[in-house]
Amino acid sequence: MALSLVRTSNVDALLGPGGALQAALPAYEHRPEQLQMARAVERAFSDRSYLLAEAGTGTGKTLAYLVPALLSGRRVVVSTATKTLQEQIFFKDLPLLKEQMGLEFEAAYLKGRGNYLCLHRYNSFTKDPTFGTREEARQWPHIQSWAARTETGDRAELELPENFSAWPRLSSSAETCLGSQCPLYEQCHVTRMRREAEQADLLVVNHHLFVADLSLRGAGRRGEGVLPLYEAVILDEAHALEDAASGYFGCGVSNHRLEELARDAVAALPETDARFPTLRALAARVRTHAEVLFTQAPRVLGLLGSEGGVALKPDRMALLGGPLEQVRHGLAALGAFASSAREPELAALTRRAAELTEELSFLEKVESADHVYWAEARGRGVFLRASPIDVARELRVRLYDAVDTVVFTSATLAAGGRFDFFAKRMGLYDEDGAPVAEVRTLAVPSPFDYAQQSALYLPTHLPDPAAPGFIEAAAEEIVQLCEVSGGRAFVLFTSLRNMERAYELTKARLPYQVLRQGDRPKQQLLESFRELPSVLFAAHSFWEGVDVPGDALSLLIIDRLPFASPGDPLVAARIRQIEARGEGAFEQYQLPQATLALRQGFGRLIRTQSDRGAVALLDRRIVTKPYGRAFLESLPDAHRVRDLDGLRDWFSEG
């Protein structure tokens, strides 16, 4: 490791009044909140304990944890929920600490395998390059030129569409990677990335890669994880960790996954090999049976017309018993044929076929009490999934048993002023309610003056969100609100259906650039939003991790309180689990989860001390229902306005 910091340095000397940061940046103003958090993180590293640190927007929490992490002398993983923050840390914050403050360290920026060109799969693809559309085919010469010169293999260097369908055939996953058996292992971009990471003091990753590493280590697959061994973890945007972990600690089989196996089988041998005809026939058998299964599944499982996932039921899965058995027979035959071969590609087929068989059997039985089973359709994909209802035990076994220092931080960790909800969801208490490690908590307020910088508009004249006509009335309100703000608005929805309906009702009436999530990649939408007065209709991913400082975003409209849908299979399973313990699921799970989500949405508005804007929540329940008080008490102390005239006056005063 390359760390060579002066051990007598501490966070006060670097971040305190007159410290190194202030000396390096003359315009920098000391932030007491930042130093308070940095001291708490420093103590966690010193005591080898766990810290839950809620830090409001604008506290400078990134430097508050980076400095003590680098001073600790240990290899630390910093994991974030989004690649945007990951890039900010690596390309902005760490260079500041190294170049402006003189700290000496080595850092590595890591993404999942799927972000990198796999040289072995690329070579196979070049023999028969096929694409989903002519537009994708036109990208091929550009990809070839890039592949010949790239030093990193990171697809971010290319301006490919996010949904470029050929990319999975040019990259590898934990399932398809041949590991050290690959003939191009030494030249591999992922191998090089990992070796650079082994020399680093600080590893900057995202939650998906972090939990993928935990999952691989737990599964013991090929004896290693994605990341080199580390000694401490900082989880930024830690509120998003549970959802990321739920996906990786379970299993899933899709038509895409089986199709990829069949395609890789055909590519595993040259056509001149005497075994090729048999292997091709076995692959075709798997493909045919998979097509039958996943053609029938949407109708049998009730996916047709559903917006989200549907729970898998034993009786419904029994109706798919015949197609499932045929797929398993096809996988067994393919795996058996490949098992006697020496080629690493064929050995990988045997392993993959066995894993798919095991997962299909697990999914078909629908019998594990601590898992939730569901299916979903996305685009042309049909997915059968199983995830642990509660990731607490998984985190205790895979993370807490191995690492003695973990810092959880976010602008939203406390619900109702308490950290209990988050701590329990993260498994920091065992089944008897006893802490699994020494856990400290810290809540550092934002330095922003929300009473002066923000307004909160809560109309009560709109119908209840569950009543007929709500979205039509909300659309009318959206038009009037955007007239007040001159556009410059995010309109955030809790469902894609409401987003689409409101967009269709208002797009022709809004005299601004009107943007919609999904029409273009997220970063392109944000760039367009910043360039012209705009109204952006969005859901899900725009509720958090989006940063638009300045006047470009002056109004945030939220259609309804963000309660997770009780029809979502995972949410429903968590509710049943809590009620089975004799506890109230609404108070213990649904309400605190929703208040944290609303705070995340509110947090998109005020990003700097000069920002000014309003939040409009179109859900009357925040005023009319007793639980509305919990939402209001969770929000920053914004100036309250009662009607559009009041909001218009507030904007004119600014």
Side-chain angles (χ1 to χ4, degrees):
M1 295 173 64
L3 199 65
S4 58
L5 301 172
V6 179
R7 288 290 169 242
T8 56
S9 297
N10 58 35
V11 296
D12 287 77
L14 295 172
L15 299 177
L21 181 58
Q22 200 162 24
L25 302 174
Y28 177 81
E29 294 183 2
H30 165 62
R31 303 183 217 183
E33 300 89 355
Q34 182 183 61
L35 184 58
Q36 183 183 3
M37 177 175 168
R39 287 169 175 164
V41 175
E42 184 178 52
R43 181 180 178 186
F45 273 92
S46 176
D47 295 350
R48 297 179 181 266
S49 60
Y50 290 12
L51 173 67
L52 307 182
E54 180 175 279
T57 307
T59 57
K61 65 180 170 63
T62 308
L63 293 184
Y65 63 66
L66 285 177
V67 168
L70 292 169
L71 291 174
S72 71
R74 284 187 271 170
R75 175 178 287 145
V76 181
V77 168
V78 173
S79 180
T80 76
T82 61
K83 291 180 182 177
T84 301
L85 180 55
Q86 194 182 358
E87 290 171 356
Q88 175 195 309
I89 292 169
F90 191 79
F91 295 108
K92 180 182 176 182
D93 298 319
L94 290 176
L96 168 67
L97 295 176
K98 179 176 282 190
E99 298 164 12
Q100 299 294 319
M101 297 176 65
L103 301 185
E104 297 181 18
F105 58 87
E106 294 298 329
Y109 175 72
L110 295 91
K111 302 178 184 179
R113 284 188 182 92
N115 291 280
Y116 299 93
L117 180 72
C118 172
L119 299 176
H120 184 61
R121 290 171 69 83
Y122 171 76
N123 287 344
S124 296
F125 185 83
T126 58
K127 298 172 185 176
D128 181 25
T130 55
F131 301 90
T133 65
R134 291 181 180 178
E135 180 60 33
E136 287 196 352
R138 283 194 283 270
Q139 297 273 5
W140 181 231
H142 177 49
I143 294 172
Q144 288 179 295
S145 174
W146 166 77
R149 68 177 187 275
T150 181
E151 294 183 0
T152 68
D154 187 345
R155 71 167 285 177
E157 298 173 352
L158 291 165
E159 294 184 1
L160 291 177
E162 288 186 0
N163 60 347
F164 188 74
S165 64
W167 184 256
R169 298 174 62 189
L170 296 168
S171 61
S172 67
S173 64
E175 182 177 43
T176 61
C177 178
L178 301 178
S180 58
Q181 299 302 308
C182 178
L184 296 175
Y185 180 75
E186 292 300 323
Q187 299 102 292
C188 173
H189 294 299
V190 174
T191 300
R192 185 180 305 162
M193 173 194 71
R194 180 181 170 85
R195 286 176 177 167
E196 290 176 358
E198 288 173 345
Q199 304 304 312
D201 312 294
L202 193 78
L203 310 175
V204 184
V205 306
N206 58 58
H207 291 345
H208 288 285
L209 179 60
F210 180 69
V211 296
D213 176 75
L214 292 180
S215 178
L216 283 176
R217 291 182 191 281
R221 185 177 296 166
R222 290 190 295 283
E224 61 180 26
V226 183
L227 306 177
L229 294 175
Y230 48 84
E231 301 165 273
V233 179
I234 296 172
L235 297 162
D236 199 348
E237 300 174 312
H239 62 274
L241 183 66
E242 181 178 22
D243 285 343
S246 293
Y248 278 93
F249 294 155
C251 67
V253 178
S254 67
N255 57 327
H256 293 323
R257 191 174 168 195
L258 286 160
E259 170 61 29
E260 184 177 43
L261 176 71
R263 188 172 56 235
D264 288 349
V266 174
L269 290 174
E271 293 186 18
T272 55
D273 192 294
R275 297 167 294 173
F276 178 79
T278 302
L279 186 59
R280 180 174 59 184
L282 291 170
R285 180 180 172 186
V286 169
R287 182 183 289 112
T288 299
H289 292 320
E291 288 174 355
V292 171
L293 170 63
F294 286 101
T295 298
Q296 293 185 18
R299 175 182 55 80
V300 172
L301 300 177
L303 278 172
L304 298 178
S306 67
E307 182 175 335
V310 298
L312 294 180
K313 303 293 185 182
D315 57 339
R316 294 292 185 99
M317 290 301 288
L319 296 176
L320 293 174
L324 283 164
E325 189 63 20
Q326 290 297 317
V327 172
R328 282 197 294 267
H329 284 161
L331 290 170
L334 177 63
F337 177 81
S339 64
S340 60
R342 295 183 178 180
E343 292 90 344
E345 293 87 351
L346 296 182
L349 290 177
T350 300
R351 170 181 54 78
R352 291 166 62 184
E355 290 174 355
L356 279 162
T357 300
E358 181 180 355
E359 292 180 28
L360 277 171
S361 296
F362 182 77
L363 289 161
E364 183 181 12
K365 293 175 183 176
V366 197
E367 65 182 12
S368 173
D370 58 359
H371 279 70
V372 57
Y373 298 79
W374 83 101
E376 62 176 336
R378 239 184 15 249
R380 290 176 294 180
V382 179
F383 303 82
L384 309 177
R385 302 188 186 279
S387 292
I389 298 171
D390 190 342
V391 301
R393 188 185 68 84
E394 300 287 348
L395 289 174
R396 284 197 290 268
V397 172
R398 299 173 190 262
L399 178 59
Y400 307 151
D401 285 353
V403 178
D404 60 16
T405 306
V406 183
V407 174
F408 301 83
T409 186
S410 170
T412 54
L413 290 185
R418 298 174 59 87
F419 290 88
D420 300 36
F421 171 73
F422 178 80
K424 289 177 181 176
R425 301 304 309 169
M426 289 294 98
L428 293 172
Y429 296 101
D430 63 21
E431 286 78 2
D432 299 322
V436 300
E438 183 178 359
V439 180
R440 297 191 180 94
T441 62
L442 173 72
V444 181
S446 169
F448 298 154
D449 186 351
Y450 284 100
Q452 294 296 319
Q453 292 181 251
S454 63
L456 180 60
Y457 171 55
L458 304 174
T460 57
H461 62 275
L462 298 176
D464 186 279
F470 167 75
I471 198 62
E472 288 75 16
E476 184 64 35
E477 195 79 8
I478 289 166
V479 171
Q480 295 185 53
L481 283 165
C482 290
E483 180 184 349
V484 171
S485 66
R488 305 179 297 156
F490 275 7
V491 192
L492 300 182
F493 296 85
T494 56
S495 75
L496 289 172
R497 182 179 288 113
N498 274 3
M499 182 194 80
E500 294 291 349
R501 179 63 176 150
Y503 173 81
E504 293 298 331
L505 289 169
T506 60
K507 64 178 180 179
R509 301 178 60 193
L510 293 168
Y512 317 103
Q513 177 178 234
V514 181
L515 305 168
R516 176 175 55 173
Q517 174 184 323
D519 286 348
R520 281 183 274 169
K522 187 174 183 179
Q523 288 307 313
Q524 288 185 21
L525 286 174
L526 291 173
E527 289 170 8
S528 296
F529 183 87
R530 296 183 183 103
E531 291 171 357
L532 296 171
S534 305
V535 179
L536 171 65
F537 288 74
H540 307 309
S541 63
F542 280 80
W543 277 76
E544 57 184 83
V546 176
D547 191 10
V548 184
D551 293 337
L553 178 59
S554 297
L555 175 65
L556 184 73
I557 304 172
I558 296 174
D559 73 327
R560 58 188 297 169
L561 294 171
F563 285 108
S565 170
D568 177 276
L570 185 55
V571 174
R574 288 172 177 168
I575 291 172
R576 289 194 299 271
Q577 185 184 65
I578 293 169
E579 291 177 342
R581 297 198 297 260
E583 301 173 5
F586 184 78
E587 295 79 9
Q588 295 296 319
Y589 174 61
Q590 293 166 279
L591 182 60
Q593 182 273 335
T595 60
L596 290 177
L598 183 62
R599 289 176 63 197
Q600 275 294 324
F602 191 108
R604 297 316 95 216
L605 184 67
I606 304 298
R607 308 301 296 176
T608 73
Q609 291 184 333
S610 61
D611 284 357
R612 191 171 187 271
V615 173
L617 178 61
L618 308 185
D619 189 337
R620 67 200 312 266
R621 293 176 298 174
I622 195 170
V623 176
T624 62
K625 297 292 185 180
Y627 58 73
R629 177 174 296 181
F631 287 100
L632 290 172
E633 290 176 349
S634 75
L635 295 176
D637 187 23
H639 175 72
R640 294 274 292 275
V641 293
R642 295 172 179 261
D643 50 39
L644 283 171
D645 288 338
L647 188 63
R648 195 173 285 109
D649 292 342
W650 185 84
F651 268 107
S652 65
E653 291 169 2

